[in-house]
């Protein structure tokens, strides 16, 4: 079982609570909660770096004419304060593979086939993108667009030589890669498909006896499915299917999700900015960070308008952003409490020292 299949099985179990929409949110919360200690480490590192920023800048100014000496003094400074400048990046490096796995799972044909037509709140379909083309399944004609891709069902009905009864539910290995289009795909013209016999989970002796097979073929973009008869030719299964051009539909529910993503991303960045204001920050660095925080939501929102992103993926990103806001606020309060406690301890030590000095006098 690969990681995508495992994630889908977990999502399937979580969806019992209230559908696949709730399942996506719960899975996001579980993953982000598991990485909470990394979030604490990251924010603590960022906070420490900002508190030390004035001293670091002073060292850089003092030794700017001697880069080697400056590097040496900076390393001594990091060691003295027990600070690792890369500590804030390390949690991100660990989180990225997990985020990519969740993203690829929600984009996978397996998830689309299993829960693509599921709805959640105002979302009509979790597999819908901003613009999609809808086709009519099982009418014998594939509704396609120029650059559509295809996948097979998980099983096939296979007919062997000299055997009257077909083999039912023959497993197809890697359905999303099993089928290929021969030549160009032109809407309104016949499309030629081919499937290698090696994609059928059968014994070698059975593969040699295959005459034909019935296999479900799905257009990944339109989600239209047709049961197609494949015949054996030159050691592969081939089929010719008539096509027609489909009309594109605009989904306002997905547009609303994209706008919600932009809003939650801005809130997440504002939460991080509020933490940064607690420490002295270089004006040039603050201006650069403010510019990036303004530019990033606009850039990503525009990207999601151009590149087709399924509603399920957008729901995951929104849930992740909301969790980030709550996490940032809670951890920031925790770090503020730790700083206050340290300052109190330092004050107590100073008072005790002053008292001892006074007593000696």
């Amino acid at each position: 079982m690969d990681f995508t299949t495992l994630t889908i099985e977990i999502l399937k179990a979580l969806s019992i609570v209230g559908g696949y929409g709730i399942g996506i949110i719960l899975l996001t919360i579980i993953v982000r909660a598991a990485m909470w200690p990394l979030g604490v480490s990251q924010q603590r590192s960022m906070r420490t770096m900002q508190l030390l920023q004035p001293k670091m800048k002073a060292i850089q100014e003092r030794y700017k004419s001697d880069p080697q000496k400056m590097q040496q003094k900076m390393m001594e400074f990091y060691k003295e304060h027990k600070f690792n400048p890369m500590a804030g990046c390390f949690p991100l490096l660990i989180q990225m593979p997990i985020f990519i796995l969740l993203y690829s799972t929600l984009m996978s044909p397996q998830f689309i086939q299993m829960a693509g037509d599921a709805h959640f709140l105002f979302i009509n379909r979790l597999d819908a993108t901003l613009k999609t083309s809808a086709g009519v399944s099982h009418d014998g004609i594939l509704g396609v667009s120029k650059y559509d891709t295809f996948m097979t069902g998980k099983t096939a009905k296979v007919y062997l030589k000299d055997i009257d009864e077909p083999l039912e539910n023959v497993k197809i290995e890697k359905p999303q890669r099993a089928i290929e289009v021969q030549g160009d795909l032109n809407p309104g013209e016949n499309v030629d498909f081919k499937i290698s016999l090696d994609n059928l989970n059968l014994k070698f002796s059975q593969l040699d006896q295959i005459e034909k097979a019935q296999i479900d073929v799905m257009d990944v973009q339109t989600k239209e499915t047709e049961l197609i008869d494949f015949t054996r030719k030159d050691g592969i299964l081939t089929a010719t299917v008539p096509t027609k051009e489909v009309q594109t539909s605009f989904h306002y529910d997905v547009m609303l999700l994209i706008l919600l993503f932009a809003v939650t991303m801005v809130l997440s960045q504002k939460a991080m900015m509020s933490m940064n204001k607690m420490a002295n920050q270089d004006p040039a660095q603050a201006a650069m960070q403010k510019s990036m925080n303004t530019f990033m939501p606009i850039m990503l929102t525009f990207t999601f308008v151009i590149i087709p992103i399924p509603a399920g993926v957008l729901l995951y990103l929104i849930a992740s952003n909301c969790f980030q806001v709550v996490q940032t606020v809670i951890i920031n309060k925790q770090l503020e409490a730790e700083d206050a406690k340290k300052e109190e301890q330092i004050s107590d030590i100073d008072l005790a020292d002053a008292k001892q000095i006074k007593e000696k006098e």
Side-chain angles (χ1 to χ4, degrees):
M1 182 181 293
D2 57 25
F3 287 109
T4 299
T5 304
L6 177 61
T7 306
I8 286 177
E9 289 300 320
I10 295 173
L11 188 59
K12 190 175 181 180
L14 293 173
S15 66
I16 297 175
V17 178
Y20 286 102
I22 292 293
I24 291 172
I25 294 173
L26 288 177
L27 182 59
T28 307
I29 292 174
I30 291 170
V31 171
R32 293 303 302 266
M35 294 189 296
W36 187 282
L38 295 178
V40 175
S41 174
Q42 182 182 11
Q43 284 186 227
R44 180 178 281 115
S45 177
M46 291 173 60
R47 191 180 184 88
T48 302
M49 188 171 188
Q50 288 160 7
L51 290 171
L52 298 177
Q53 189 70 33
K55 295 181 180 178
M56 292 166 60
K57 188 175 180 181
I59 294 174
Q60 291 169 348
E61 286 291 329
R62 184 172 182 179
Y63 299 100
K64 61 182 178 181
S65 60
D66 189 349
Q68 188 174 357
K69 186 71 172 178
M70 181 179 67
Q71 185 68 21
Q72 180 185 344
K73 290 296 182 181
M74 289 295 290
M75 294 301 293
E76 292 175 0
F77 179 77
Y78 294 149
K79 187 175 181 181
E80 179 186 351
H81 291 84
K82 299 178 180 179
F83 171 68
N84 182 359
M86 299 301 295
C89 301
F90 183 65
L92 288 175
L93 294 176
I94 296 178
Q95 292 176 37
M96 282 305 295
I98 299 174
F99 289 159
I100 292 172
L101 174 61
L102 285 173
Y103 181 87
S104 60
T105 297
L106 296 175
M107 288 281 287
S108 68
Q110 297 102 302
F111 175 78
I112 293 173
Q113 196 171 44
M114 177 183 71
D117 60 350
H119 68 276
F120 177 68
L121 298 178
F122 61 87
I123 307 170
N124 295 320
R125 293 178 63 104
L126 289 173
D127 66 344
T129 56
L130 188 60
K131 294 181 179 180
T132 57
S133 301
V136 179
S137 296
H138 306 298
D139 65 348
I141 302 175
L142 272 172
V144 299
S145 297
K146 177 67 176 176
Y147 300 104
D148 285 358
T149 56
F150 303 88
M151 64 175 288
T152 67
K154 294 182 178 180
T155 61
K157 181 188 289 187
V158 178
Y159 295 82
L160 304 180
K161 292 179 182 179
D162 304 323
I163 298 178
D164 295 333
E165 294 295 326
L167 299 178
E168 301 280 356
N169 300 320
V170 175
K171 184 180 178 182
I172 299 177
E173 303 290 346
K174 297 181 179 179
Q176 65 272 29
R177 302 178 187 174
I179 191 167
E180 296 180 35
V181 175
Q182 301 186 79
D184 295 329
L185 177 61
N186 298 309
E189 300 178 7
N190 291 345
V191 59
D192 295 320
F193 291 119
K194 69 175 182 179
I195 298 176
S196 172
L197 297 178
D198 293 333
N199 287 298
L200 299 176
N201 189 13
L202 291 173
K203 297 178 182 179
F204 183 77
S205 58
Q206 292 175 314
L207 291 176
D208 194 47
Q209 298 297 315
I210 293 177
E211 285 189 329
K212 60 180 181 178
Q214 286 186 329
I215 302 173
D216 279 323
V217 174
M218 184 181 77
D219 186 320
V220 175
Q221 279 66 43
T222 66
K223 312 306 178 293
E224 179 184 353
T225 302
E226 298 293 340
L227 182 61
I228 297 176
D229 292 323
F230 285 81
T231 57
R232 181 171 183 158
K233 182 181 179 182
D234 298 329
I236 59 173
L237 292 172
T238 64
T240 300
V241 182
T243 69
K244 62 181 178 181
E245 188 169 7
V246 294
Q247 299 298 317
T248 301
S249 301
F250 186 89
H251 297 278
Y252 292 96
D253 54 341
V254 179
M255 188 69 231
L256 180 57
L257 282 174
I258 293 174
L259 295 176
L260 284 174
F261 165 77
V263 170
T264 55
M265 188 174 183
V266 169
L267 291 176
S268 176
Q269 291 178 333
K270 281 186 176 294
M272 294 298 293
M273 286 290 289
S274 67
M275 183 188 76
N276 296 344
K277 289 178 182 178
M278 300 300 295
N280 294 325
Q281 193 174 15
D282 180 66
Q285 184 181 2
M288 183 182 298
Q289 186 171 2
K290 185 177 180 181
S291 177
M292 286 185 63
N293 288 346
T294 303
F295 176 72
M296 283 298 291
I298 296 174
M299 183 188 72
L300 286 176
T301 302
F302 180 75
T303 300
F304 290 164
V305 170
I306 300 300
I307 299 175
I309 303 294
V313 175
L314 291 168
L315 182 61
Y316 150 68
L317 292 172
I318 292 169
S320 184
N321 284 344
C322 291
F323 190 96
Q324 181 66 48
V325 172
V326 175
Q327 182 187 50
T328 301
V329 172
I330 293 175
I331 294 177
N332 192 34
K333 289 186 179 295
Q334 178 184 340
L335 295 178
E336 286 177 7
E338 290 178 3
D339 291 343
K341 190 174 181 180
K342 288 178 182 178
E343 291 177 2
E344 186 178 344
Q345 289 175 347
I346 293 172
S347 299
D348 291 343
I349 292 173
D350 291 342
L351 288 172
D353 290 343
K355 187 177 181 180
Q356 288 179 357
I357 293 171
K358 190 174 182 180
E359 287 175 353
K360 287 180 180 180
E361 292 176 349

